[in-house]
Amino acid sequence: MNSTNIIETENLTKSYGDFTAVSHLNLHIRKGSVYGFLGPNGAGKSTTMKMFLGLTSPTSGRFQIDGKSYPRNRTAILKDIGSFIEAPSFYGNLTGEENLEIIRRILGLPKTAVADALELVGLTQYKKRLTKKYSLGMKQRLGLAGALIGHPPILILDEPTNGLDPVGIHEIRTLVRSLPEKYDCTVLVSSHLLPEVELMADDIGILNHGRLLFEGTLAELESSARSAGLPTYNLEETFLAMIDADNQKGGGRI
């Protein structure tokens, strides 16, 4: 494993019967970066993230996280990761603060960790409210607080801005962008809001039909798109053109 990379995969593959969700994936996620993980619905992003979290096992291939190999070091890997996958679920009859307190105890973190996480996501004033009375946006923030609690070295965030209004989206983007410098962590974030990813990511990985079409910096993506005759006006245009070109040339399921 390259010492500058905190996550590396080698031909990582996940199949369900004759359907291949992730195919021979080789990712290189640099330590201390924000890595934007992009792809249409069903491209394999969530499946990849679930493999990193031990929620589903690879069919073949392997991956390392912070020098630890899966499945041998599965427990040690999980201790390094804070995650937010799909819509987070909470105990509706407990307050936001009480829900985070459960996570704090499981992880054995200091008592100050809950207040710190609530402050980070802007939920301090709602900490005593029952989560069943939280709006969708507040639930998203609480899910993010659960991922951030204790400042893990690696954060895996799947659509963290779902349900947020434009102000909330801006706040979460600013927060994610600040995390590597603030807490010396690495963030893997997937989102359909490409203009937001463009503003927060150092590196980009683009997935289509379970295969990696591109990996590199935004500048490298622009250069690659230009040489392929694709639009380079912004990330969204480049992304859509790249996916369309792949689909046109029969980049269907493996």
Side-chain angles (χ1 to χ4, degrees):
M1 178 169 168
N2 185 321
S3 61
T4 62
N5 296 328
I6 198 163
I7 300 177
E8 275 190 13
T9 73
E10 190 179 321
N11 292 321
L12 192 63
T13 300
K14 178 65 181 180
S15 300
Y16 299 92
D18 58 1
F19 169 75
T20 303
V22 176
S23 179
H24 300 91
L25 191 61
N26 295 301
L27 293 181
H28 308 84
I29 299 175
R30 293 186 295 139
K31 188 173 176 19
S33 68
V34 175
Y35 188 104
F37 201 29
L38 308 178
N41 283 336
K45 305 184 304 294
S46 292
T47 302
T48 303
M49 290 174 157
K50 285 176 179 173
M51 284 192 274
F52 291 161
L53 294 166
L55 298 173
T56 189
S57 298
T59 306
S60 62
R62 59 200 185 104
F63 66 87
Q64 278 193 323
I65 295 182
D66 204 10
K68 305 174 185 82
S69 298
Y70 179 90
R72 190 172 68 243
N73 307 118
R74 180 172 179 255
T75 307
I77 286 171
L78 288 179
K79 283 181 179 171
D80 280 348
I81 299 176
S83 66
F84 178 108
I85 300 282
E86 292 167 354
S89 55
F90 300 104
Y91 296 103
N93 289 321
L94 297 181
T95 65
E97 186 177 49
E98 288 166 340
N99 271 281
L100 289 184
E101 178 62 19
I102 292 168
I103 299 171
R104 182 195 74 77
R105 288 185 183 182
I106 290 169
L107 297 175
L109 297 169
K111 290 192 174 177
T112 54
V114 170
D116 182 34
L118 287 165
E119 182 69 29
L120 259 181
V121 300
L123 277 181
T124 303
Q125 68 191 96
Y126 305 108
K127 65 183 181 181
K128 300 294 186 189
R129 184 179 292 185
L130 297 181
T131 56
K132 67 182 176 186
K133 294 185 176 175
Y134 272 20
S135 66
L136 176 58
M138 288 165 71
K139 285 176 180 170
Q140 290 292 106
R141 287 171 183 272
L142 191 60
L144 203 50
L148 290 166
I149 196 167
H151 309 311
I154 301 161
L155 278 165
I156 293 180
L157 310 177
D158 193 7
E159 300 290 345
T161 53
N162 261 6
L164 297 179
D165 61 18
V167 172
I169 289 170
H170 172 79
E171 287 173 356
I172 296 305
R173 181 232 306 157
T174 305
L175 171 63
V176 169
R177 180 64 263 168
S178 72
L179 289 170
E181 195 175 329
K182 219 176 193 178
Y183 299 115
D184 190 28
C185 67
T186 305
V187 185
L188 171 61
V189 58
S190 84
S191 177
H192 286 109
L193 299 176
L194 274 67
E196 291 302 313
V197 174
E198 191 165 17
L199 289 167
M200 73 171 125
D202 301 298
D203 299 323
I204 299 285
I206 296 177
L207 222 57
N208 193 35
H209 300 305
R211 294 174 299 103
L212 192 64
L213 298 188
F214 173 84
E215 181 182 65
T217 65
L218 285 162
E220 286 167 344
L221 176 61
E222 187 178 337
S223 171
S224 175
R226 188 177 290 112
S227 64
L230 299 175
T232 59
Y233 177 66
N234 59 33
L235 174 60
E236 191 157 13
E237 280 205 349
T238 303
F239 168 80
L240 292 171
M242 191 174 276
I243 295 297
D244 187 51
D246 185 56
N247 291 338
Q248 295 286 340
K249 69 180 188 200
R253 296 285 175 187
I254 305 301

